[in-house]
Amino acid sequence: MRKIILNIIIIVGLAAAPVLGQQSANLAEETTLIFVRHAEKSEDGTNDPSLSKQGAERAKRLAELLMESHTITAIYTTGYKRTKETSSSIADSLNLSVFEYQLNNPDSLMSVIIQKHRGEDVLIVGHSNTTPQLVNLSLGESKYEKLDETDYSNIFIVKLSGNDKATVKRLIY
């Protein structure tokens, strides 16, 4: 009787192996795009201000939060000081270079990021108007509007599965 039970366990285990392997392959193809707006900026009268003290503290909290929950392999920001400074804590901690992006062709930008970083976790730092725009492009639908100018607390986590099905989770930090 024990031999029969052992044989059944072995057969079930062998039958399940291809399914488990397929699930692992699908998980490996899951791409996570993490979109945030830059942290609070100082009011210095210029078009390119640095982060305020509060913004620098928020950027550190963001880095801690994301490093606990994700394995960031790439970071993209616009060319402004505030986006670069928002990403600098996590970039420095992970020894990652930061790629600067332009928004003259947002569709192409998202296609390049998704293709180049398939199966990875990517942080994309933008602005109150561009962050929701890029989230919408990655989802393939217009779901989010421009963020309020006083709102610096949103994280949009878009997961793209191997079959290009997209889901989004919106967090407040």
Side-chain angles (χ1 to χ4, degrees), residues 17-133:
V19 173
L20 294 174
Q22 185 177 3
Q23 287 175 342
S24 296
N26 287 343
L27 288 176
E29 284 296 311
E30 184 174 77
T31 304
T32 302
L33 305 174
I34 304 162
F35 297 91
V36 298
R37 179 189 180 196
H38 62 79
E40 291 88 341
K41 60 187 175 182
S42 63
E43 296 298 330
D44 65 3
T46 70
N47 289 336
D48 192 14
S50 293
L51 293 181
S52 66
K53 182 178 179 184
Q54 183 181 8
E57 290 169 4
R58 182 183 296 277
K60 287 180 189 174
R61 286 194 315 271
L62 175 67
E64 291 167 1
L65 174 71
L66 292 180
M67 288 190 302
E68 285 176 8
S69 57
H70 296 278
T71 304
I72 306 292
T73 58
I75 299 172
Y76 287 80
T77 73
T78 64
Y80 291 92
K81 288 179 193 173
R82 56 193 176 271
T83 58
K84 291 177 180 180
E85 291 172 2
T86 299
S87 70
S88 67
S89 288
I90 194 163
D92 292 347
S93 294
L94 298 174
N95 199 28
L96 292 174
S97 296
V98 176
F99 299 101
E100 188 175 308
Y101 69 86
Q102 303 292 319
L103 272 175
N104 41 353
N105 189 343
D107 290 310
S108 177
L109 170 68
M110 291 314 304
S111 292
V112 167
I113 290 173
I114 291 167
Q115 290 304 314
K116 185 176 180 180
H117 300 287
R118 187 166 298 280
E120 299 177 20
D121 293 0
V122 180
L123 174 62
I124 303 163
V125 184
H127 303 273
S128 61
N129 59 338
T130 63
T131 296
Q133 176 188 20

